[in-house]
Amino acid sequence: GIQVEQSPPDLILQEGANSTLRCNFSDSVNNLQWFHQNPWGQLINLFYIPSGTKQNGRLSATTVATERYSLLYISSSQTTDSGVYFCAVARRGSTLGRLYFGRGTQLTVWP
Amino acid sequence: DTGVSQDPRHKITKRGQNVTFRCDPISEHNRLYWYRQTLGQGPEFLTYFQNEAQLEKSRLLSDRFSAERPKGSFSTLEIQRTEQGDSAMYLCASSALRDNEQFFGPGTRLTVL
């Protein structure tokens, strides 16, 4: 399978700070998704970004597929941003689409 | 579009009992996936359906596990003779064929006593 490494594993911020989360993967991919897992365990879709850059409000993401990494930027963080952020990828060339997940970044935002 | 739904949300059972979970995907989605997540880990793939055909199964899916998607709509995941190691969150996801962006349900949290 594909190895997915996320860093940092834990991040503690004060409200209003900016942060960057990184996802490295070991093979070519045709799908890359960022998720936020809320305290009840639901995975919320943030970005579907196999390549390029996207922005959605205070969040943006960039995937450089040729260098096998993706970055998630959170600006002006809020306490509601707390939770676990997962990166997940699907291998290029596979028609089945199973996702391989990293271990996540645990983000805590203090007021 | 009501999203992916799963039932039940929580299940507590005794070791050795059988349990069955249900997943209703987004209505126009052909692909359906089951994943399992244990504490401190990312979700791990269990199995994949395209319409009613089960096209891939993980090694994690022992012979005590069986999944079906009889009419290409909802899916069920059954665990027979549950063990304490089966305690986990079971997540269902669905996607369209065109791009495979996966959308997840709220999960079923299983506790085996």
Side-chain angles (χ1 to χ4, degrees), chain B residues 28-76:
Chain B
E28 65 268 24
H29 283 179
N30 303 95
R31 300 182 184 225
L32 187 147
Y33 301 82
W34 286 97
Y35 294 84
R36 181 172 70 184
Q37 185 178 21
T38 53
L39 199 62
Q41 304 293 321
E44 294 178 289
F45 169 81
L46 291 178
T47 191
Y48 162 63
F49 289 87
Q50 185 167 311
N51 300 312
E52 66 275 11
Q54 188 175 20
L55 298 185
E56 188 179 10
K57 293 195 292 186
S58 164
R59 292 172 302 174
L60 293 175
L61 215 65
S62 76
D63 56 6
R64 296 185 298 104
F65 288 70
S66 63
E68 294 182 342
R69 193 182 183 196
K71 297 183 180 179
S73 56
F74 72 91
S75 176
T76 57

Side-chain angles (χ1 to χ4, degrees), chain B residues 53-102:
Chain B
Q54 188 175 20
L55 298 185
E56 188 179 10
K57 293 195 292 186
S58 164
R59 292 172 302 174
L60 293 175
L61 215 65
S62 76
D63 56 6
R64 296 185 298 104
F65 288 70
S66 63
E68 294 182 342
R69 193 182 183 196
K71 297 183 180 179
S73 56
F74 72 91
S75 176
T76 57
L77 178 68
E78 181 183 15
I79 309 174
Q80 296 182 326
R81 305 181 303 281
T82 53
E83 302 172 355
Q84 288 185 324
D86 297 331
S87 295
M89 175 76 93
Y90 290 83
L91 295 162
C92 176
S94 70
S95 69
L97 282 173
R98 65 180 181 277
D99 62 13
N100 198 37
E101 180 179 5
Q102 295 184 29

Side-chain angles (χ1 to χ4, degrees), chain A residues 11-21 55-60 72-82 85 107-111:
Chain A
L11 187 57
I12 300 173
L13 301 172
Q14 193 152 24
E15 207 167 25
N18 302 330
S19 60
T20 301
L21 282 58
Q55 181 157 7
N56 184 4
R58 294 182 297 104
L59 274 59
S60 63
L72 177 69
Y73 304 95
I74 305 174
S75 65
S76 304
S77 56
Q78 301 175 359
T79 56
T80 51
D81 295 331
S82 295
Y85 289 79
L107 175 64
T108 304
V109 181
W110 293 95

Side-chain angles (χ1 to χ4, degrees), chain A residues 30-31 33 35 37 39-45 47-48 86 90 94-104, chain B residues 9 31 33 35 37 40-43 45 48 50 55-56 58 89 91 99-106 109:
Chain A
N30 60 12
N31 180 5
Q33 292 185 244
F35 298 92
Q37 190 163 44
W40 298 272
Q42 171 105 46
L43 286 168
I44 307 299
N45 288 45
F47 293 101
Y48 169 73
F86 286 105
S94 168
T95 57
L96 302 177
R98 64 185 286 186
L99 289 176
Y100 295 85
F101 283 77
R103 296 189 64 174
Chain B
R9 297 289 304 276
R31 300 182 184 225
Y33 301 82
Y35 294 84
Q37 185 178 21
Q41 304 293 321
F45 169 81
Y48 162 63
Q50 185 167 311
L55 298 185
E56 188 179 10
S58 164
M89 175 76 93
L91 295 162
D99 62 13
N100 198 37
E101 180 179 5
Q102 295 184 29
F103 295 85
F104 282 77
R109 189 174 298 278

